[in-house]
């Protein structure tokens, strides 16, 4: 039997610290000689968006026309599927994207079919903590919203991830990234990836 790589999709609302937890986990796994390729879904989308002069920075993409976002999403999904092969892969992305027209599924059926994840991880923490992290992050154009709205977004992400589990047979795992407990979040993600 051919040993296929593990495909792990890591999601979380903007500012929860997905990328930080992923980078920490990658470092830990490299020390154990476990090889993972980490790819950022938004970067794949942004490469196309930039080439077509659709967005000047990655935070502009969620305000593009829905049809355009879906086209970029499709391009990213097939690009990632084409390069992942049998490798272990982590995809840094979103269960849903908050757009002016409402929540856009990050893994609609045509994206799931390309990625077919074994596990969807939801990185979560308390909405107040996320709010503070967004306020102190000058490197990104984070949405300005209250903790109630952030809580709703996290709830929607759980709901839509249940649909991903139904469609693909993946498991859904919550990893907490609490203030001052980053190492614990990394440990948790490592245990999923190992
Ligand atoms: P990030 O750097 O993870 O915050 O992603 C940057 C941007 O990429 C997001 O704000 C979205 O506009 C877009 N993006 C990332 N993943 C997805 C996805 N699965 N579906 C649609 N848009 C996405
Ligand atoms: Mg990120």
């Amino acid at each position: 039997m051919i040993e296929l790589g593990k495909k792990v999709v890591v999601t979380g609302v903007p500012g929860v610290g997905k990328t930080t937890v992923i980078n920490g986990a990658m470092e830990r796994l490299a020390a154990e000689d476990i090889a993972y390729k980490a790819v950022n879904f938004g970067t794949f989308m942004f490469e196309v968006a930039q080439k077509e002069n659709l967005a000047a920075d990655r935070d502009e993409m969620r305000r593009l026309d829905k049809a355009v976002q879906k086209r970029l999403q499709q391009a990213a999904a097939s690009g990632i599927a084409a390069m992942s092969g049998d490798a272990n892969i982590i995809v840094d992305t979103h269960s849903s994207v908050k757009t002016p027209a409402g929540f856009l599924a990050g893994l609609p059926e045509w994206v799931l079919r390309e990625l077919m994840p074994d596990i969807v991880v939801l990185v979560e923490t308390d909405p107040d903590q996320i709010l503070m992290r967004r306020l102190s992050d000058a490197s990104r154009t984070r949405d300005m919203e209250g903790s109630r709205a952030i809580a709703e977004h996290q709830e929607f992400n759980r709901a839509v991830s249940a649909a991903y589990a139904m469609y693909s047979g993946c498991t859904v795992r919550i990893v907490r990234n609490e203030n001052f407990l980053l190492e614990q979040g990394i440990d948790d993600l490592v245990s999923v990836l190992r």
Side-chain angles (χ1 to χ4, degrees):
M1 206 177 95
I2 304 167
E3 204 33 58
L4 283 178
K6 224 186 205 181
K7 305 207 180 309
V8 182
V9 168
V10 180
T11 74
V13 298
V16 73
K18 266 179 303 153
T19 310
T20 308
V21 177
I22 290 172
N23 290 343
M26 291 286 288
E27 225 170 85
R28 199 80 65 76
L29 290 166
E32 293 180 25
D33 271 334
I34 301 174
Y36 263 93
K37 236 189 265 183
V39 298
N40 188 303
F41 197 100
T43 300
F44 271 76
M45 287 177 61
F46 186 54
E47 268 164 24
V48 179
Q50 224 174 357
K51 232 175 269 167
E52 298 183 14
N53 275 315
L54 295 169
D57 75 69
R58 52 200 296 123
D59 289 308
E60 273 180 22
M61 292 193 294
R62 61 181 172 269
R63 286 180 283 272
L64 293 170
D65 184 73
K66 186 168 79 178
V68 175
Q69 289 189 60
K70 286 166 133 175
R71 183 165 59 76
L72 297 173
Q73 194 179 42
Q74 172 74 74
S78 48
I80 291 169
M83 60 91 70
S84 65
D86 293 344
N88 290 325
I89 187 163
I90 301 174
V91 183
D92 178 341
T93 186
H94 295 270
S95 286
S96 75
V97 176
K98 199 171 213 173
T99 79
F103 294 122
L104 180 78
L107 306 171
E109 174 266 324
W110 60 88
V111 170
L112 267 184
R113 212 189 308 128
E114 298 275 19
L115 301 184
M116 273 311 203
D118 298 290
I119 308 173
V120 169
V121 173
L122 296 171
V123 181
E124 295 185 350
T125 193
D126 300 336
D128 289 333
Q129 294 180 3
I130 295 168
L131 188 60
M132 296 306 288
R133 291 174 197 175
R134 285 186 189 173
L135 289 171
S136 63
D137 179 4
S139 71
R140 298 287 301 264
T141 313
R142 300 299 197 188
D143 290 337
M144 280 308 146
E145 54 186 357
S147 44
R148 179 80 63 99
I150 295 171
E152 262 169 22
H153 193 181
Q154 291 199 126
E155 279 163 27
F156 186 81
N157 283 343
R158 284 193 181 196
V160 78
S161 296
Y164 304 152
M166 292 298 293
Y167 182 84
S168 70
C170 70
T171 49
V172 176
R173 172 69 186 265
I174 315 276
V175 167
R176 307 263 316 164
N177 179 27
E178 315 259 12
N179 279 355
F180 313 112
L181 294 173
L182 173 64
E183 290 307 312
Q184 208 163 292
I186 292 172
D187 282 346
D188 228 19
L189 183 58
V190 166
S191 73
V192 168
L193 297 169
R194 213 181 252 133

